[in-house]
Amino acid sequence: SGDTASVRATYAEQLANPSGFSFQQLLSSGVTAARAKQTPDAIKLFEAAYKKNPYHRDVLYNLALMYLNGNQTEKVVPMVRELVAVDPSNGDNFRLFTFAFANIQKAHNEQIKKYNELKKNAKTPRAQKAYDDSARTFFELAKPMTDSALKYNSLADAFPMKVTFSEFTSADDKTTLGGSIANNTDQSQTYTLKVDFLDMSGKVITSQTATVGPVSGGQSGRFSVQG
């Protein structure tokens, strides 16, 4: 209903004392803040969740997305690299690279525009050259950003499959990961999915393999693995 104050009240305690709450509580609160477009709050909550579990796909994706929305572009690419290392079979992850590099390019283009305007009003040839050199520097920086944005956008579009996760539950004796594999091709495919279960330090505790398929073209098949 647009009642931002009431929404913020639902996660005020988590925001004030994130160390006192679980990973899942912080993640859920971050999602609430993100949906209410309270980006600074969402960033703080997702960062706190990230400290508790730095290998969870959802927190990595959401934190990268909030960094994008919060114009903290310099933090996006490193976070997406972590995301892709954990979840390499989903083109949506690679598309975050596209958005990040496009934002960097946009910032460079704004600098080019600024220096070109300064050059117009410069009083001396020396000042004109200085502004011209600065504009040229940002132009040279902008091109590889454009190339990278196009590269990762094409890569995301070309993924032959898409792995998505819909369940991640932990109990004292086991952890269950479930989801689906979408076949983006026209031909029937059978997939072998390997899952590493990690602890907080990134150490592999156990690995499990699931066979999914055959999956018809344009369809999805489900999987579930336990560690």
Side-chain angles (χ1 to χ4, degrees), residues 141-218:
L141 290 171
K143 187 181 185 306
M145 297 301 106
T146 304
D147 294 343
S148 294
L150 292 173
K151 167 190 169 183
Y152 284 107
N153 194 58
S154 297
L155 184 62
D157 288 340
F159 258 65
M161 91 296 288
K162 180 179 181 180
V163 176
T164 55
F165 304 115
S166 56
E167 178 188 6
F168 186 78
T169 55
S170 293
D172 291 338
D173 59 339
K174 65 182 179 181
T175 294
T176 302
L177 177 71
S180 62
I181 302 179
N183 181 1
N184 293 334
T185 72
D186 296 329
Q187 303 297 319
S188 179
Q189 304 287 341
T190 297
Y191 304 98
T192 300
L193 179 73
K194 180 185 176 184
V195 177
D196 294 329
F197 290 87
L198 312 178
D199 64 14
M200 272 191 64
S201 69
K203 177 184 176 182
V204 178
I205 299 172
T206 185
S207 297
Q208 299 293 333
T209 300
T211 300
V212 182
V215 181
S216 301

Side-chain angles (χ1 to χ4, degrees), residues 39-59:
T39 301
D41 291 350
I43 288 175
K44 184 175 180 180
L45 291 163
F46 286 138
E47 285 179 338
Y50 172 80
K51 289 180 181 178
K52 290 181 178 287
N53 189 345
Y55 297 97
H56 194 288
R57 187 265 175 191
D58 290 350
V59 76

Side-chain angles (χ1 to χ4, degrees), residues 59-71:
V59 76
L60 292 169
Y61 185 90
N62 284 314
L63 186 51
L65 190 61
M66 288 302 101
Y67 282 152
L68 271 172
N69 293 348
N71 293 319

Side-chain angles (χ1 to χ4, degrees), residues 110-159:
E110 289 173 354
Q111 290 295 318
I112 293 168
K113 182 179 178 180
K114 181 185 80 172
Y115 283 117
N116 284 336
E117 289 297 323
L118 289 169
K119 178 185 174 183
K120 290 179 183 178
N121 299 318
K123 304 299 183 184
T124 66
R126 181 178 180 181
Q128 289 177 341
K129 183 179 184 305
Y131 292 135
D132 195 40
D133 289 345
S134 296
R136 188 178 299 109
T137 297
F138 280 101
F139 177 80
E140 291 171 356
L141 290 171
K143 187 181 185 306
M145 297 301 106
T146 304
D147 294 343
S148 294
L150 292 173
K151 167 190 169 183
Y152 284 107
N153 194 58
S154 297
L155 184 62
D157 288 340
F159 258 65

Side-chain angles (χ1 to χ4, degrees), residues 31-103:
V31 170
T32 299
R35 287 175 175 168
K37 295 183 170 54
Q38 301 302 300
T39 301
D41 291 350
I43 288 175
K44 184 175 180 180
L45 291 163
F46 286 138
E47 285 179 338
Y50 172 80
K51 289 180 181 178
K52 290 181 178 287
N53 189 345
Y55 297 97
H56 194 288
R57 187 265 175 191
D58 290 350
V59 76
L60 292 169
Y61 185 90
N62 284 314
L63 186 51
L65 190 61
M66 288 302 101
Y67 282 152
L68 271 172
N69 293 348
N71 293 319
Q72 299 186 30
T73 309
E74 72 284 353
K75 296 181 180 180
V76 178
V77 172
M79 188 58 57
V80 179
R81 291 194 202 285
E82 293 186 41
L83 170 64
V84 168
V86 167
D87 181 20
S89 301
N90 187 326
D92 291 345
N93 300 338
F94 289 84
R95 206 177 301 281
L96 288 177
F97 275 132
T98 299
F99 298 146
F101 287 120
N103 278 8

Side-chain angles (χ1 to χ4, degrees), residues 8 11-21 26 44-45:
R8 295 193 74 197
Y11 59 77
E13 292 184 25
Q14 290 90 329
L15 200 61
N17 181 31
S19 62
F21 293 86
L26 293 169
K44 184 175 180 180
L45 291 163

